[in-house]
Amino acid sequence: LAKTTQPISMDSYEGQEVNITCSHNNIATNDYITWYQQFPSQGPRFIIQGYKTKVTNEVASLFIPADRKSSTLSLPRVSLSDTAVYYCLVGDIESYQKVTFGIGTKLQVIP
Amino acid sequence: NAGVTQTPKFQVLKTGQSMTLQCAQDMNHNSMYWYRQDPGMGLRLIYYSASEGTTDKGEVPNGYNVSRLNKREFSLRLESAAPSQTSVYFCASSVSPLAARTDTQYFGPGTRLTVL
């Protein structure tokens, strides 16, 4: 399992774009990068997943540089409802069955 | 389509009591998981079941047992509860398709357990 490092917390004002970066220096060739979101008193929810370059869906964008040693989750124009903990996971199909989420990044959106 | 359901939502036990946390999924997923979440610790994997009929230990299995009753259901049992097992427990499932390179987990709403 690739070790990941992400900021413990971030604050942002409503309407701003938020970028959360995750470092994974020992990412393996077969590893994918996955981000989950967890609201208080709820289970985590899948946001986005990618292998290289850029992935975009209706919720977020994921930017992965060519060396894949880091990735950035981008949330456009955040609102108060985006206040949550965001987890970065790195692994392949086998390691995902033994994944540990870590403490994630607690994003607080301020009015 | 309910997704992943867990019962009960809340439970208070006395030290030494036993109980079973129930989890069911209706998405025809192959793999199921049990996690615990403690303040400042993130989610830690207790046990997982890669497919019906198989179970394996995760990071923190001591004090727990699991049963993959069928493809839909995966239960977690505490035989003799201890205060250290006070936590929020999440069940999850994933497709784990054959020959796939990656996977995605779907989580239940959690069970908040307090052991006195």
Side-chain angles (χ1 to χ4, degrees):
Chain A
L1 278 172
K3 178 177 168 57
T4 60
T5 303
Q6 51 184 121
I8 293 175
S9 64
M10 295 179 68
D11 292 337
S12 176
Y13 288 102
E14 271 191 298
Q16 290 188 329
E17 178 185 74
V18 171
N19 296 309
I20 305 174
T21 296
C22 179
S23 297
H24 28 81
N25 290 320
N26 60 338
I27 188 169
T29 302
N30 291 335
D31 287 347
Y32 275 71
I33 300 155
T34 308
W35 285 81
Y36 286 81
Q37 173 191 55
Q38 184 178 25
F39 297 116
S41 301
Q42 295 186 26
R45 180 179 75 121
F46 169 84
I47 301 178
I48 198 166
Q49 185 176 75
Y51 183 79
K52 61 180 179 181
T53 62
K54 177 183 175 182
V55 180
T56 297
N57 61 24
E58 65 278 4
V59 177
S61 294
L62 179 60
F63 298 93
I64 306 169
D67 66 4
R68 304 201 326 124
K69 293 184 183 300
S70 67
S71 59
T72 298
L73 174 72
S74 181
L75 305 172
R77 297 180 300 281
V78 294
S79 64
L80 295 176
S81 62
D82 292 315
T83 293
V85 177
Y86 293 83
Y87 299 94
C88 167
L89 279 75
V90 174
D92 62 7
I93 185 67
E94 291 186 2
S95 61
Y96 270 129
Q97 293 178 346
K98 307 172 187 177
V99 69
T100 295
F101 275 60
I103 62 173
T105 297
K106 185 172 184 179
L107 172 66
Q108 181 69 50
V109 180
I110 306 165
Chain B
N1 198 345
V4 179
T5 57
Q6 293 182 235
T7 55
K9 287 187 170 55
F10 300 94
Q11 183 71 49
V12 178
L13 293 177
K14 294 180 180 179
T15 297
Q17 287 185 319
S18 62
M19 80 159 296
T20 299
L21 280 65
Q22 306 287 353
C23 174
Q25 52 91 9
D26 61 2
M27 296 175 283
N28 200 34
H29 284 175
N30 292 310
S31 299
M32 298 186 73
Y33 313 79
W34 276 106
Y35 292 88
R36 61 178 287 174
Q37 185 170 36
D38 304 297
M41 299 290 290
L43 282 96
R44 293 182 291 170
L45 184 64
I46 304 172
Y47 271 94
Y48 67 97
S49 171
S51 61
E52 185 179 357
T54 68
T55 60
D56 285 286
K57 295 178 180 179
E59 182 183 359
V60 288
N62 291 343
Y64 305 95
N65 286 302
V66 291
S67 296
R68 183 75 182 268
L69 305 170
N70 47 55
K71 192 170 185 179
R72 289 187 66 249
E73 298 172 291
F74 188 37
S75 63
L76 179 71
R77 182 160 178 85
L78 287 71
E79 291 290 352
S80 179
S84 61
Q85 294 178 304
T86 293
S87 188
V88 180
Y89 292 85
F90 290 102
C91 177
S93 69
S94 65
V95 177
S96 295
L98 293 175
R101 294 180 62 186
T102 187
D103 205 359
T104 302
Q105 294 188 22
Y106 296 81
F107 284 79
T111 295
R112 189 173 296 273
L113 175 67
T114 301
V115 183
L116 302 175

